[in-house]
Amino acid sequence: MTIDHAGVLRGLHVPGTPLILPNAWDAASARAVQEAGFPAVATGSAAVARVLGHDDGERVPVDEMMSAVARMARAVDVPVTADVERGYGLKPAELAERLLAAGASGCNLEDSDPRTGELIDPGEQADFLAEVRAAAGRALVINARVDTYLRGSTSREEALARAERYLEAGADCVYPITLADEDEIRALVTALGGRPVNVLFRPGAPSLGRLAELGVARVSFGGGLHRLVHAHTVALLAKVKAGDSPF
């Protein structure tokens, strides 16, 4: 029996009972996420880039990124959603094809240029998302990142306008990355009428329980866990260098 992983993933986006995604960066961490009991695995572009020896910001060759996604998808039995920045220059149809071939059931797509930090025109981004949707059908859960807060604009009106356009274009969920203010999260969730909203969990963000109370449908950890793991590794190596046991 073939499992509709995209359908499963889509169904996990429940406002008030958010899908928690502690982002993975390789096959081993993806397995650990599944073994910990999480119902889906998300990749994080920054963490994957560093593991592959590159900087974030679409510096990873697309073949390397898709191979990494495929390794993670093969390692687990749950849906995998891939952070693919703004698509690494691929046309929407090819991007959808490559993601599906890698075994992904979903993707993050951001609305700013990863190399320059400039926001993309919302109409252009909506068209891009619509073309990805048309190419993938229902086989991909599209999480449309809204980068206004990340790029310095705290205008709720601009974030809401972008979110609404992306949802109308076929996105399943919107992701106002770095938004952490409770009142602003509540206002955005309310204005979107219960359509799924993703929040980044980071220092200063509301607790997981509070995000649920605010009506959030998805919580991502981005590169946070990988940064903690890497810092722990650096500390262990310092012990070895000093002649101490790391165990």
Side-chain angles (χ1 to χ4, degrees):
M1 177 180 173
T2 302
I3 299 174
D4 175 13
H5 275 155
V8 170
L9 180 61
R10 192 170 282 112
L12 291 168
H13 289 68
V14 180
T17 310
L19 169 63
I20 308 299
L21 294 169
N23 300 64
W25 50 89
D26 60 12
S29 58
R31 283 198 192 99
V33 169
Q34 177 177 298
E35 289 166 0
F38 293 95
V41 170
T43 77
S45 68
V48 174
R50 294 185 186 107
V51 167
L52 295 175
H54 302 279
D55 291 328
D56 194 25
E58 292 201 345
R59 267 70 174 186
V60 182
V62 65
D63 289 348
E64 289 190 40
M65 180 58 75
M66 291 299 175
S67 293
V69 171
R71 285 192 294 275
M72 285 185 262
R74 288 195 301 268
V76 298
D77 301 319
V78 297
V80 171
T81 179
D83 180 357
V84 288
E85 306 195 58
R86 199 169 181 270
Y88 302 97
L90 298 177
K91 297 295 185 183
E94 184 180 1
L95 176 61
E97 181 182 358
R98 295 288 298 270
L99 282 164
L100 293 172
S105 304
C107 63
N108 278 15
L109 290 167
E110 56 203 57
D111 68 347
S112 62
D113 186 321
R115 295 178 180 274
T116 67
E118 296 294 321
L119 285 163
I120 304 297
D121 176 81
E124 179 183 344
Q125 182 69 1
D127 289 345
F128 182 82
L129 294 170
E131 290 183 49
V132 174
R133 168 60 67 219
R138 299 286 286 174
L140 282 177
V141 175
I142 299 174
N143 190 33
R145 223 174 75 173
V146 177
D147 286 3
T148 54
Y149 298 98
L150 177 67
R151 301 306 182 189
S153 171
T154 58
S155 165
R156 182 192 306 170
E157 291 74 20
E158 182 180 3
L160 178 60
R162 284 176 176 265
E164 287 179 332
R165 290 194 75 162
Y166 302 161
L167 289 164
E168 290 168 3
D172 297 278
C173 183
V174 289
Y175 184 11
I177 192 167
T178 74
L179 175 60
D181 181 84
E182 285 194 17
D183 291 339
E184 289 299 313
I185 292 170
R186 182 192 299 108
L188 190 64
V189 168
T190 300
L192 290 173
R195 288 172 290 178
V197 174
N198 185 175
V199 168
L200 175 68
F201 191 80
R202 62 189 180 96
S207 68
L208 294 177
R210 184 63 180 140
L211 289 172
E213 292 172 354
L214 294 171
V216 170
R218 173 170 169 161
V219 180
S220 302
F221 279 67
L225 291 179
H226 179 259
R227 285 193 296 272
L228 291 174
V229 169
H230 184 73
H232 183 59
T233 301
V234 169
L236 293 176
L237 292 172
K239 287 187 176 182
V240 174
K241 180 65 174 175
D244 298 328
S245 171
F247 301 113

